[in-house]
Amino acid sequence: MSRAPRSPGLGRRTFLHGCGAAGAGLLLPGAFAGCGDTPAGAADGGVDADDRAPPWPVPPLDDGEVAGGVRVFRLELQPGAVDLGAGAATASYGVNGAYLGPTLRVRRGERVRLEVTNSLAEPSTLHWHGMAVPARGDGGPYQSIAAGATWSTEFEVDQRAMTAWYHPHQMHETARQVYMGMAGLIYVEEPTPPADLPSTYGVDDLPLVIQDRRIAADGTHPYSAGNTPAMHDLMAGLKGELMLVNGVPAARGAVPRGLVRLRVLNGSNARTYHLGFADDRSFLQIASDGGRLAAPLPTTRVLLAPGERAELLVDFSADAAGTSVGLRSYSGEVYPTLFTGMMGANLADALDRTTFDVATFVVGPPPAAPFAPPTAFEPIVRGSASDAARTRDVTLSMGMGSVFLNGTRMTALEPVPAAISFQIPAGDTELWVVTNTSGMAHPLHVHNQPFQVLDLDGAPPPPSLAGWKDTVLVAPGQVVRLLISFAGAPDTEYPYMFHCHILEHEDHGMMGRFFLV
Ligand SMILES: [Cu+2]
């Protein structure tokens, strides 16, 4: 197993913190690359010079190894133990480490092979969320990897620059396996990095994998061995009050006193975040799930449901060195639209109704070469309903202590009810009318190709939803129409999946499949 290269963001103080935990027999998630060496790049970005803040904790960056014209990544699913702040060991799963996994960097136009070795004592998978891949290489529930086995997929990267991610998609076990810690980011880049955006990993291009956890004083959680989440947690989706960013509780780290690019993934099982800064500063949203927006969007909030990503540009140049800037979720502001009626009120928790802290940025010295905020991107050609060859209805509902998709559930790989097993001619464009009749919001994710949100309750999407998406939050009572061009090769043997990305709902069968034929 090749070691992922160290990222420049893992500097001296992170490793000291991690080493202390490792000395006690635990691996701290921030200490992915182990202890002992200080990366040469740590001082280059200037972020390590501030004595009051450690570098921003990031997963290691993995560029794979190029052999025979193919960029090969070797990923191992493995058990571990982490201290998530309880002061006790939490049994975990990770990818090439104890918790989470490396950030994989791939480039448009190149061939990539992903080799996944399952060193767990149970079957699992890795799904490439947001990646356009052949159905048999999608890493969904039909590509289960037995304990001890190695599975691989090879494909050409043929999509825009964007931020994707990977996580297990094992039938009925996704929520638990992700909760245990298996997830990581995939950076899809153009062949040459963009000159107009900060893109030095771990310095001014920072991943933020946001997860909430419910960890007891003894380090256990509702998915620990021997535990089963309560029915209420399965219905609401398991939420907790401990915020992790990149696997680190109360994440805090330095950023350069300039323009910083944040690649934010909501990697939580069930919680939706309404992110903004404690001082309500404006920032630019530059990308949604599927890549750049049509133009940088000035805003003070970004709503992220489980599975969704956003890229943000935050300007710290006007902040004095040493200033702490909090990242928060203003969840209470969106509570009335995400939870309605008696059912919604019952499925929300205290954090869903309030504002809470997620992470803290500490402003360090200015960068050597400052970036100017971009003012324009390439336009996005918007499709229309008349582009669709046909219309399909997808109804998300809850009742009788369960979740439903088109009135039924996918409870096994076979047989699958016809209402949630679609045959779609490859190359066709379809209009999906997604209706949520329940009292809580559901993020619908469609595998493989991105889609456009045509409208929400008949109104055109706000700019944050007008770019390319692969996961869309559908509010209670809302009707969201999606325009999806099903690119990819026909395969009548292996399907792609679409499902609610509240992982407990997915595991309960709020999921369907489609074949490209
Ligand atoms: Cu759901």
Side-chain angles (χ1 to χ4, degrees):
M1 194 60 49
S2 65
R3 260 280 170 220
R6 286 189 64 108
S7 87
L10 278 170
R12 182 170 52 89
R13 288 169 194 83
T14 299
F15 112 72
L16 283 177
H17 190 33
C19 277
L26 304 177
L27 279 174
L28 197 81
F32 288 97
C35 302
D37 55 329
T38 301
D44 295 350
V47 293
D48 203 22
D50 179 62
D51 275 339
R52 284 157 295 193
W56 189 253
V58 296
L61 181 63
D62 188 349
D63 279 308
E65 287 175 14
V66 178
V70 182
R71 189 177 295 277
V72 181
F73 295 88
R74 294 183 181 87
L75 303 173
E76 184 179 12
L77 314 182
Q78 57 187 78
V82 289
D83 181 353
L84 295 175
T90 295
S92 63
Y93 287 165
V95 181
N96 295 359
Y99 192 91
L100 295 180
T103 298
L104 314 181
R105 185 162 61 184
V106 303
R107 290 149 192 84
R108 185 179 199 170
E110 69 183 6
R111 257 192 112 62
V112 165
R113 185 161 74 247
L114 299 153
E115 298 181 358
V116 184
T117 296
N118 181 5
S119 296
L120 304 173
E122 60 173 309
S124 187
T125 77
L126 280 188
H127 161 59
W128 325 104
H129 181 136
M131 299 295 291
V133 295
R136 61 188 59 217
D138 190 43
Y142 290 87
Q143 284 89 40
S144 184
I145 311 168
T150 295
W151 172 88
S152 70
T153 179
E154 186 175 317
F155 57 91
E156 185 182 322
V157 178
D158 182 18
Q159 59 189 95
R160 297 166 198 84
M162 46 87 77
T163 306
W165 66 300
Y166 57 91
H167 61 80
H169 211 307
Q170 177 73 19
M171 190 72 179
H172 301 309
E173 309 295 345
T174 297
R176 179 177 56 83
Q177 294 188 348
V178 173
Y179 204 86
M180 295 284 287
M182 289 192 285
L185 291 172
I186 304 174
Y187 280 19
V188 180
E189 303 281 20
E190 296 295 336
T192 50
D196 59 338
L197 294 179
S199 50
T200 305
Y201 186 78
V203 176
D204 57 15
D205 179 349
L206 304 178
L208 273 76
V209 179
I210 301 179
Q211 299 174 307
D212 62 325
R213 290 293 181 266
R214 192 190 300 169
I215 309 293
D218 64 356
T220 62
H221 53 67
Y223 283 116
S224 294
N227 290 352
T228 306
M231 179 52 78
H232 176 84
D233 290 323
L234 297 175
M235 282 298 97
L238 184 60
K239 293 180 277 199
E241 300 202 343
L242 172 69
M243 292 301 134
L244 304 179
V245 176
N246 300 337
V248 176
R252 177 176 176 274
V255 289
R257 191 181 169 193
L259 205 61
V260 175
R261 180 184 189 180
L262 304 178
R263 306 209 197 202
V264 190
L265 160 69
N266 182 348
S268 305
N269 278 31
R271 186 180 299 287
T272 291
Y273 302 93
H274 192 224
L275 299 172
F277 289 91
D279 60 5
D280 250 339
R281 70 181 55 203
S282 182
F283 54 88
L284 296 177
Q285 181 179 352
I286 57 171
S288 56
D289 303 331
R292 287 189 186 189
L293 300 175
L297 172 66
T299 186
T300 58
R301 297 284 187 274
V302 58
L303 183 70
L304 277 189
E308 287 189 301
R309 290 88 66 211
E311 287 187 36
L312 315 177
L313 283 181
V314 187
D315 190 352
F316 294 102
S317 63
D319 297 290
T323 303
S324 287
V325 181
L327 180 70
R328 291 180 171 174
S329 180
Y330 291 89
S331 295
E333 294 175 349
V334 291
Y335 167 74
T337 57
L338 300 190
F339 299 91
T340 60
M342 285 290 286
M343 178 192 277
N346 184 45
L347 295 172
D349 73 356
L351 292 195
D352 288 322
R353 298 179 168 88
T354 189
T355 298
F356 56 90
D357 294 327
V358 173
T360 305
F361 299 100
V362 183
V363 180
F371 283 89
T375 54
F377 292 148
E378 294 286 310
I380 292 175
V381 178
R382 297 274 305 165
S384 68
S386 61
D387 298 337
R390 68 194 63 80
T391 298
R392 245 179 247 280
D393 289 311
V394 174
T395 301
L396 308 170
S397 62
M398 299 176 80
M400 298 175 289
S402 193
V403 290
F404 300 96
L405 197 155
N406 285 355
T408 184
R409 297 192 296 142
M410 183 170 169
T411 56
L413 294 180
E414 302 288 350
V416 178
I420 51 175
S421 185
F422 304 154
Q423 307 275 325
I424 300 173
D428 272 14
T429 296
E430 294 196 345
L431 182 66
W432 283 26
V433 181
V434 186
T435 303
N436 178 0
T437 66
S438 79
M440 66 177 282
H442 302 271
L444 186 79
H445 170 47
V446 183
H447 285 208
N448 199 36
Q449 63 292 297
F451 53 71
Q452 290 185 347
V453 177
L454 203 59
D455 47 39
L456 303 95
D457 285 338
S464 61
L465 298 179
W468 292 102
K469 295 285 294 169
D470 57 48
T471 306
V472 63
L473 188 63
V474 186
Q478 198 173 42
V479 178
V480 176
R481 298 200 305 165
L482 310 177
L483 200 61
I484 315 176
S485 291
F486 289 88
D491 187 336
T492 54
E493 189 180 356
Y494 287 101
Y496 293 102
M497 314 309 293
F498 64 98
H499 56 90
C500 177
H501 220 287
I502 292 174
L503 298 181
E504 285 75 14
H505 292 180
E506 175 195 324
D507 281 343
H508 255 57
M510 203 179 218
M511 177 163 73
R513 66 181 190 182
F514 62 93
F515 292 88
L516 294 187
V517 298

